[in-house]
Amino acid sequence: MLFSLSLRLVFLIAIVLISVSVGTSVTVEDVLQCSVDDMICCINMREDRLPNLILNYDCSQPDNVTLLLPPGTNKTSPFRLFFSNLCITRLPEDICDYPNIASIRAVTGKIETIPRLSCLKNLIALVLFDEEIKSVETGVFFGLERLRYINLAYNKIHTIEPGVFSEDLHGLMRVHLDYNELTASEAWPIRITHEFCVFGLSHNKISHLSNEENWLVDESKHYGPGMVGFSHNLFTTWVLEELKIYGIRDRKISGTFDNWGFDFRHNKWICDCNFHEFLHLSSNLYMVIWRYYFNVLCDSPAHLKGKQALRLPLDAFVCNVTNKCPQDCLCQDQPEKKQMLVDCRGRNLTRLPSTVPDGNLKLLFGDNSITYLEAVGYLQRTKYLDVSRNNIKIIAPSAIDLLQNGVAFLGLSDNRLEFLPKKIQNIHYSKLDINRNPFVCCCSSTWMSLWLRYQPRNYNVTDITCLMPAGNTVQLVRADKTLLNCQIRSPFPKIFSALFGTFAVIFVLLVALVVVFRYELMHLLHTGAKKLKRTSDDDSEYDLFVSVDGESESDRVWSKKLLNELEQNHNLRLYFPLRDMDPGTVITDEVIKTLQRSRAAVIVLSSSYVDNPSKMFEFTETYNIMVKQRRGRVIVARLDNVTKATNGYLNAFLRLKKYIDADNCDLFEKIAHEVQEGKSQNSRSRSVSQVEIMA
């Protein structure tokens, strides 16, 4: 017994001596003694050369843990902390008192949380393997620029908060988050801006990528490269589209990750059209260079299950579409062929479906009971149309208009077509099938004979026949006007009919214009041809007759301004009924007499003037005397925004814009100019009359 105790004492003394010698001579840099070639993936660091800190704990209080110094060391010495299979639930609470801890390794225990480790500036490796950790909080690795290795595999991690894996972790080379309970992956691996070894996320429940941190790729930065492990997760749809949430939207940006490795094996891949874009870019990659992680196997559809996605032909990746797909039909997005297949063969259709999915269309509508090929909007997107083996009798010309935009194949065989729309000649197709239709030979369809002669050589037009009037059948390509004894009609009757119809339309339009604008035309006729009829003896007593609605106060006030301006500043003689008409005079007689003794008349046009029947009569008399009898001029001064009048001639003034607005700054000068021009014209007329009398 005594011998046994002595042996243990000697053993402990030896350990202490070794610890003292190691602790006083080893630095953190000594731990990083990997070869240059293995520096990136180096994890076998010489941590065994560091003294191991001693844990002070009691399983009755598993969250109360502290550290003890090994003999011969102090708190500033470099250390490692290694333990396993312990009952403690957290790391030592005084861990920050030992700032030079280079490695923490805890294996198979019950640790539930990771404290903030920013105090351990020299931490190189953190291994919390097979513990009870459920989440990783923001900031736990903040400031750990020397941290190279993180292993949190075999925990229960379901949440990693934003900012945990920041771009500040410049020394990070290996990360293992495998065998946890993550359901989504942030941009943790692809935001690393230096070359690294591996970022493991395999054996989780990841089904998609997420971007709660709102991180976007920066084209000016260099990322990685490195190996990212996503194997044994729950991905079903290829992630190329999901990468757009990180700003990776085109080949130029995604090319940044060409030298990376991504292991997506052992997921529930649905090998459909979503795979196509990626495989189209990398279809020849496996022939040039093969990597084990290229062996991605399809899980569905059933006929592709277990097959290597990279070795399948690209046209195998299609998607069945249900949106807008006709009932009981198959709609399939085929990206390799750049088309949307709509297969409704043998579905008892009696007409074309009203809607089909978007995209360039390949329509298979054969073996149905369609009787009419109507114009539906999607024919404009159709590249392939097969309606053979139906009961089609008529093709709408408007349907041909839609198809001529680019249909490459048109299948009309085995229908009941007797004639084709002449517009079918406008379709630039590569193949047309109109065999086995009961075409009728007649003079109106002889164009088909010439048309068929110019069909592609790979199409046997001699198999197409038509029924002659005599009851026999001939090759349609031979059914020309000579065979049918068609008379060639002169084109002149048609030309004459067209010309006659054109002249008739023009005549009707002219009559309509004359009816609508009769007052305007008559006004132009009255004012445009002859000179004024003033005689040599100028008996004009007044230069200007003023027609105003005396019942409107605003019209009266404005008219008085007109009187003062023209009489005082322009020496014109004005007749103003409200001022110059004697009491008891018959108004209509006085107006007519005064107009006959005036050189011109001004109409003070306002809304009240237009609505006053007596003023409309006064305007009619003014127009008859001044314009029709060519005795003078009518000047319209518009006070209000009047645009329409019941009097046709006044309406003509408004339509022809032969008025002066009252707010025109040169209004009075323009009225005076009109009157003076009339006087000068009368003077010239008088001179001519004198010459004629003298002669």
Side-chain angles (χ1 to χ4, degrees), residues 9 18 101 129 301 317 349 381 422 467 471 522 530 570 583 592 597 618 622 670 672 679:
L9 182 60
I18 293 172
I101 294 178
F129 181 86
F317 297 94
L349 300 179
R381 297 183 282 116
K422 201 169 184 178
L467 183 65
M522 292 174 66
K530 300 178 181 179
H570 296 280
I592 293 173
R597 301 199 305 274
E618 187 173 303
T622 302
K670 289 183 177 181
K679 291 174 67 175

PDB file of all heavy atoms in Angstrom, residues 9 18 101 129 301 317 349 381 422 467 471 522 530 570 583 592 597 618 622 670 672 679:
ATOM      1  N   LEU A   9       2.961   9.369  -6.077  1.00  0.00           N
ATOM      2  CA  LEU A   9       3.577  10.654  -5.770  1.00  0.00           C
ATOM      3  C   LEU A   9       4.694  10.964  -6.759  1.00  0.00           C
ATOM      4  O   LEU A   9       4.826  12.090  -7.258  1.00  0.00           O
ATOM      5  CB  LEU A   9       4.118  10.628  -4.334  1.00  0.00           C
ATOM      6  CG  LEU A   9       4.772  11.925  -3.830  1.00  0.00           C
ATOM      7  CD1 LEU A   9       3.767  13.070  -3.876  1.00  0.00           C
ATOM      8  CD2 LEU A   9       5.305  11.743  -2.414  1.00  0.00           C
ATOM      9  N   ILE A  18       7.298  18.188 -15.887  1.00  0.00           N
ATOM     10  CA  ILE A  18       7.108  18.306 -17.348  1.00  0.00           C
ATOM     11  C   ILE A  18       6.302  19.546 -17.677  1.00  0.00           C
ATOM     12  O   ILE A  18       6.600  20.305 -18.592  1.00  0.00           O
ATOM     13  CB  ILE A  18       6.430  17.042 -17.904  1.00  0.00           C
ATOM     14  CG1 ILE A  18       7.374  15.847 -17.770  1.00  0.00           C
ATOM     15  CG2 ILE A  18       6.019  17.247 -19.352  1.00  0.00           C
ATOM     16  CD1 ILE A  18       6.727  14.521 -18.123  1.00  0.00           C
ATOM     17  N   ILE A 101      -5.165  31.512 -23.595  1.00  0.00           N
ATOM     18  CA  ILE A 101      -5.645  30.170 -23.939  1.00  0.00           C
ATOM     19  C   ILE A 101      -5.653  30.044 -25.458  1.00  0.00           C
ATOM     20  O   ILE A 101      -6.284  30.841 -26.158  1.00  0.00           O
ATOM     21  CB  ILE A 101      -7.050  29.922 -23.367  1.00  0.00           C
ATOM     22  CG1 ILE A 101      -6.999  29.903 -21.835  1.00  0.00           C
ATOM     23  CG2 ILE A 101      -7.627  28.619 -23.897  1.00  0.00           C
ATOM     24  CD1 ILE A 101      -8.367  29.719 -21.191  1.00  0.00           C
ATOM     25  N   PHE A 129     -17.484  19.459 -29.154  1.00  0.00           N
ATOM     26  CA  PHE A 129     -17.964  18.346 -29.966  1.00  0.00           C
ATOM     27  C   PHE A 129     -18.876  17.444 -29.130  1.00  0.00           C
ATOM     28  O   PHE A 129     -18.536  17.070 -28.004  1.00  0.00           O
ATOM     29  CB  PHE A 129     -16.752  17.553 -30.479  1.00  0.00           C
ATOM     30  CG  PHE A 129     -17.081  16.393 -31.361  1.00  0.00           C
ATOM     31  CD1 PHE A 129     -17.258  16.561 -32.717  1.00  0.00           C
ATOM     32  CD2 PHE A 129     -17.209  15.113 -30.816  1.00  0.00           C
ATOM     33  CE1 PHE A 129     -17.540  15.470 -33.530  1.00  0.00           C
ATOM     34  CE2 PHE A 129     -17.503  14.029 -31.622  1.00  0.00           C
ATOM     35  CZ  PHE A 129     -17.676  14.207 -32.987  1.00  0.00           C
ATOM     36  N   PRO A 301     -37.912  12.801 -60.433  1.00  0.00           N
ATOM     37  CA  PRO A 301     -39.050  11.877 -60.544  1.00  0.00           C
ATOM     38  C   PRO A 301     -38.602  10.411 -60.564  1.00  0.00           C
ATOM     39  O   PRO A 301     -37.405  10.132 -60.630  1.00  0.00           O
ATOM     40  CB  PRO A 301     -39.702  12.297 -61.866  1.00  0.00           C
ATOM     41  CG  PRO A 301     -38.597  12.918 -62.660  1.00  0.00           C
ATOM     42  CD  PRO A 301     -37.713  13.605 -61.666  1.00  0.00           C
ATOM     43  N   PHE A 317     -34.356  17.320 -68.054  1.00  0.00           N
ATOM     44  CA  PHE A 317     -34.729  18.177 -66.926  1.00  0.00           C
ATOM     45  C   PHE A 317     -35.901  19.062 -67.333  1.00  0.00           C
ATOM     46  O   PHE A 317     -35.734  20.107 -67.964  1.00  0.00           O
ATOM     47  CB  PHE A 317     -33.535  19.006 -66.476  1.00  0.00           C
ATOM     48  CG  PHE A 317     -32.400  18.162 -65.966  1.00  0.00           C
ATOM     49  CD1 PHE A 317     -31.361  17.778 -66.805  1.00  0.00           C
ATOM     50  CD2 PHE A 317     -32.384  17.723 -64.657  1.00  0.00           C
ATOM     51  CE1 PHE A 317     -30.324  16.985 -66.346  1.00  0.00           C
ATOM     52  CE2 PHE A 317     -31.348  16.929 -64.186  1.00  0.00           C
ATOM     53  CZ  PHE A 317     -30.322  16.555 -65.030  1.00  0.00           C
ATOM     54  N   LEU A 349     -61.429  17.072 -77.059  1.00  0.00           N
ATOM     55  CA  LEU A 349     -61.627  18.512 -77.221  1.00  0.00           C
ATOM     56  C   LEU A 349     -62.517  18.783 -78.426  1.00  0.00           C
ATOM     57  O   LEU A 349     -62.369  18.156 -79.475  1.00  0.00           O
ATOM     58  CB  LEU A 349     -60.281  19.223 -77.412  1.00  0.00           C
ATOM     59  CG  LEU A 349     -59.245  19.112 -76.283  1.00  0.00           C
ATOM     60  CD1 LEU A 349     -57.979  19.866 -76.668  1.00  0.00           C
ATOM     61  CD2 LEU A 349     -59.806  19.650 -74.987  1.00  0.00           C
ATOM     62  N   ARG A 381     -47.662  32.917 -79.818  1.00  0.00           N
ATOM     63  CA  ARG A 381     -46.444  32.384 -79.190  1.00  0.00           C
ATOM     64  C   ARG A 381     -46.153  30.955 -79.629  1.00  0.00           C
ATOM     65  O   ARG A 381     -45.241  30.318 -79.112  1.00  0.00           O
ATOM     66  CB  ARG A 381     -46.608  32.411 -77.663  1.00  0.00           C
ATOM     67  CG  ARG A 381     -46.771  33.785 -77.071  1.00  0.00           C
ATOM     68  CD  ARG A 381     -46.856  33.732 -75.548  1.00  0.00           C
ATOM     69  NE  ARG A 381     -48.158  33.325 -75.056  1.00  0.00           N
ATOM     70  CZ  ARG A 381     -48.406  32.225 -74.380  1.00  0.00           C
ATOM     71  NH1 ARG A 381     -47.434  31.356 -74.155  1.00  0.00           N
ATOM     72  NH2 ARG A 381     -49.622  31.955 -73.939  1.00  0.00           N
ATOM     73  N   LYS A 422     -56.263  31.971 -97.975  1.00  0.00           N
ATOM     74  CA  LYS A 422     -55.171  32.369 -98.845  1.00  0.00           C
ATOM     75  C   LYS A 422     -54.004  32.945 -98.054  1.00  0.00           C
ATOM     76  O   LYS A 422     -52.848  32.909 -98.499  1.00  0.00           O
ATOM     77  CB  LYS A 422     -55.677  33.396 -99.855  1.00  0.00           C
ATOM     78  CG  LYS A 422     -54.810  33.512-101.102  1.00  0.00           C
ATOM     79  CD  LYS A 422     -55.492  34.326-102.178  1.00  0.00           C
ATOM     80  CE  LYS A 422     -54.662  34.346-103.450  1.00  0.00           C
ATOM     81  NZ  LYS A 422     -55.334  35.111-104.535  1.00  0.00           N
ATOM     82  N   LEU A 467     -60.797  17.181-105.268  1.00  0.00           N
ATOM     83  CA  LEU A 467     -61.926  16.609-106.011  1.00  0.00           C
ATOM     84  C   LEU A 467     -62.335  17.555-107.123  1.00  0.00           C
ATOM     85  O   LEU A 467     -62.661  18.725-106.878  1.00  0.00           O
ATOM     86  CB  LEU A 467     -63.095  16.361-105.063  1.00  0.00           C
ATOM     87  CG  LEU A 467     -64.337  15.688-105.672  1.00  0.00           C
ATOM     88  CD1 LEU A 467     -64.012  14.260-106.118  1.00  0.00           C
ATOM     89  CD2 LEU A 467     -65.479  15.689-104.655  1.00  0.00           C
ATOM     90  N   GLY A 471     -66.030  14.797-110.472  1.00  0.00           N
ATOM     91  CA  GLY A 471     -66.082  13.721-109.495  1.00  0.00           C
ATOM     92  C   GLY A 471     -64.798  12.947-109.362  1.00  0.00           C
ATOM     93  O   GLY A 471     -64.666  12.124-108.445  1.00  0.00           O
ATOM     94  N   MET A 522     -70.221  79.997 -95.856  1.00  0.00           N
ATOM     95  CA  MET A 522     -70.963  81.169 -96.335  1.00  0.00           C
ATOM     96  C   MET A 522     -70.301  82.461 -95.855  1.00  0.00           C
ATOM     97  O   MET A 522     -70.237  83.448 -96.593  1.00  0.00           O
ATOM     98  CB  MET A 522     -72.407  81.099 -95.854  1.00  0.00           C
ATOM     99  CG  MET A 522     -73.207  79.960 -96.496  1.00  0.00           C
ATOM    100  SD  MET A 522     -74.862  79.783 -95.805  1.00  0.00           S
ATOM    101  CE  MET A 522     -75.593  81.317 -96.357  1.00  0.00           C
ATOM    102  N   LYS A 530     -65.775  90.249-102.926  1.00  0.00           N
ATOM    103  CA  LYS A 530     -65.986  91.599-103.463  1.00  0.00           C
ATOM    104  C   LYS A 530     -65.570  92.668-102.476  1.00  0.00           C
ATOM    105  O   LYS A 530     -65.476  92.442-101.289  1.00  0.00           O
ATOM    106  CB  LYS A 530     -67.458  91.778-103.815  1.00  0.00           C
ATOM    107  CG  LYS A 530     -67.952  90.784-104.860  1.00  0.00           C
ATOM    108  CD  LYS A 530     -69.421  90.999-105.126  1.00  0.00           C
ATOM    109  CE  LYS A 530     -69.955  89.999-106.159  1.00  0.00           C
ATOM    110  NZ  LYS A 530     -71.391  90.181-106.408  1.00  0.00           N
ATOM    111  N   HIS A 570     -59.061 108.256 -80.671  1.00  0.00           N
ATOM    112  CA  HIS A 570     -58.981 107.882 -82.100  1.00  0.00           C
ATOM    113  C   HIS A 570     -59.932 108.689 -82.976  1.00  0.00           C
ATOM    114  O   HIS A 570     -60.041 108.392 -84.177  1.00  0.00           O
ATOM    115  CB  HIS A 570     -59.270 106.386 -82.243  1.00  0.00           C
ATOM    116  CG  HIS A 570     -58.259 105.506 -81.563  1.00  0.00           C
ATOM    117  ND1 HIS A 570     -57.042 105.193 -82.116  1.00  0.00           N
ATOM    118  CD2 HIS A 570     -58.282 104.905 -80.338  1.00  0.00           C
ATOM    119  CE1 HIS A 570     -56.365 104.414 -81.294  1.00  0.00           C
ATOM    120  NE2 HIS A 570     -57.098 104.226 -80.184  1.00  0.00           N
ATOM    121  N   PRO A 583     -85.820 108.511 -76.743  1.00  0.00           N
ATOM    122  CA  PRO A 583     -86.901 107.769 -76.067  1.00  0.00           C
ATOM    123  C   PRO A 583     -88.135 107.663 -76.956  1.00  0.00           C
ATOM    124  O   PRO A 583     -88.472 108.601 -77.689  1.00  0.00           O
ATOM    125  CB  PRO A 583     -87.166 108.600 -74.817  1.00  0.00           C
ATOM    126  CG  PRO A 583     -85.922 109.396 -74.606  1.00  0.00           C
ATOM    127  CD  PRO A 583     -85.398 109.697 -75.967  1.00  0.00           C
ATOM    128  N   ILE A 592     -81.809  99.300 -87.576  1.00  0.00           N
ATOM    129  CA  ILE A 592     -81.574  99.065 -89.009  1.00  0.00           C
ATOM    130  C   ILE A 592     -81.127 100.348 -89.701  1.00  0.00           C
ATOM    131  O   ILE A 592     -80.173 100.351 -90.498  1.00  0.00           O
ATOM    132  CB  ILE A 592     -82.853  98.503 -89.665  1.00  0.00           C
ATOM    133  CG1 ILE A 592     -83.137  97.102 -89.108  1.00  0.00           C
ATOM    134  CG2 ILE A 592     -82.703  98.454 -91.175  1.00  0.00           C
ATOM    135  CD1 ILE A 592     -84.458  96.528 -89.553  1.00  0.00           C
ATOM    136  N   ARG A 597     -76.282 103.641 -91.792  1.00  0.00           N
ATOM    137  CA  ARG A 597     -75.532 104.894 -91.805  1.00  0.00           C
ATOM    138  C   ARG A 597     -74.187 104.739 -91.076  1.00  0.00           C
ATOM    139  O   ARG A 597     -73.556 105.717 -90.720  1.00  0.00           O
ATOM    140  CB  ARG A 597     -76.341 106.014 -91.134  1.00  0.00           C
ATOM    141  CG  ARG A 597     -77.703 106.283 -91.824  1.00  0.00           C
ATOM    142  CD  ARG A 597     -78.240 107.649 -91.440  1.00  0.00           C
ATOM    143  NE  ARG A 597     -78.333 107.831 -90.006  1.00  0.00           N
ATOM    144  CZ  ARG A 597     -79.366 107.458 -89.261  1.00  0.00           C
ATOM    145  NH1 ARG A 597     -80.405 106.873 -89.823  1.00  0.00           N
ATOM    146  NH2 ARG A 597     -79.368 107.684 -87.959  1.00  0.00           N
ATOM    147  N   GLU A 618     -80.636  91.384 -83.336  1.00  0.00           N
ATOM    148  CA  GLU A 618     -79.816  92.546 -83.686  1.00  0.00           C
ATOM    149  C   GLU A 618     -78.546  92.105 -84.404  1.00  0.00           C
ATOM    150  O   GLU A 618     -78.115  92.742 -85.371  1.00  0.00           O
ATOM    151  CB  GLU A 618     -79.471  93.314 -82.410  1.00  0.00           C
ATOM    152  CG  GLU A 618     -78.765  94.639 -82.656  1.00  0.00           C
ATOM    153  CD  GLU A 618     -78.601  95.414 -81.362  1.00  0.00           C
ATOM    154  OE1 GLU A 618     -79.625  95.689 -80.699  1.00  0.00           O
ATOM    155  OE2 GLU A 618     -77.439  95.737 -81.034  1.00  0.00           O
ATOM    156  N   THR A 622     -77.364  93.029 -88.153  1.00  0.00           N
ATOM    157  CA  THR A 622     -76.026  93.596 -88.340  1.00  0.00           C
ATOM    158  C   THR A 622     -75.257  92.806 -89.394  1.00  0.00           C
ATOM    159  O   THR A 622     -74.606  93.375 -90.276  1.00  0.00           O
ATOM    160  CB  THR A 622     -75.261  93.566 -87.007  1.00  0.00           C
ATOM    161  OG1 THR A 622     -75.990  94.303 -86.028  1.00  0.00           O
ATOM    162  CG2 THR A 622     -73.875  94.163 -87.152  1.00  0.00           C
ATOM    163  N   LYS A 670     -56.755  97.620 -82.137  1.00  0.00           N
ATOM    164  CA  LYS A 670     -57.159  96.716 -83.228  1.00  0.00           C
ATOM    165  C   LYS A 670     -58.529  97.094 -83.778  1.00  0.00           C
ATOM    166  O   LYS A 670     -58.758  97.058 -84.990  1.00  0.00           O
ATOM    167  CB  LYS A 670     -57.159  95.275 -82.729  1.00  0.00           C
ATOM    168  CG  LYS A 670     -55.764  94.713 -82.490  1.00  0.00           C
ATOM    169  CD  LYS A 670     -55.823  93.253 -82.077  1.00  0.00           C
ATOM    170  CE  LYS A 670     -54.413  92.695 -81.907  1.00  0.00           C
ATOM    171  NZ  LYS A 670     -54.427  91.271 -81.525  1.00  0.00           N
ATOM    172  N   ALA A 672     -59.896 100.129 -83.679  1.00  0.00           N
ATOM    173  CA  ALA A 672     -59.710 101.380 -84.428  1.00  0.00           C
ATOM    174  C   ALA A 672     -59.069 101.106 -85.778  1.00  0.00           C
ATOM    175  O   ALA A 672     -59.435 101.717 -86.794  1.00  0.00           O
ATOM    176  CB  ALA A 672     -58.844 102.336 -83.610  1.00  0.00           C
ATOM    177  N   LYS A 679     -62.530 102.677 -93.636  1.00  0.00           N
ATOM    178  CA  LYS A 679     -62.681 104.036 -94.170  1.00  0.00           C
ATOM    179  C   LYS A 679     -61.771 104.248 -95.367  1.00  0.00           C
ATOM    180  O   LYS A 679     -62.177 104.849 -96.369  1.00  0.00           O
ATOM    181  CB  LYS A 679     -62.346 105.047 -93.074  1.00  0.00           C
ATOM    182  CG  LYS A 679     -63.369 105.082 -91.947  1.00  0.00           C
ATOM    183  CD  LYS A 679     -62.951 105.984 -90.806  1.00  0.00           C
ATOM    184  CE  LYS A 679     -62.937 107.436 -91.241  1.00  0.00           C
ATOM    185  NZ  LYS A 679     -62.638 108.341 -90.102  1.00  0.00           N
TER     186      LYS A 679
END
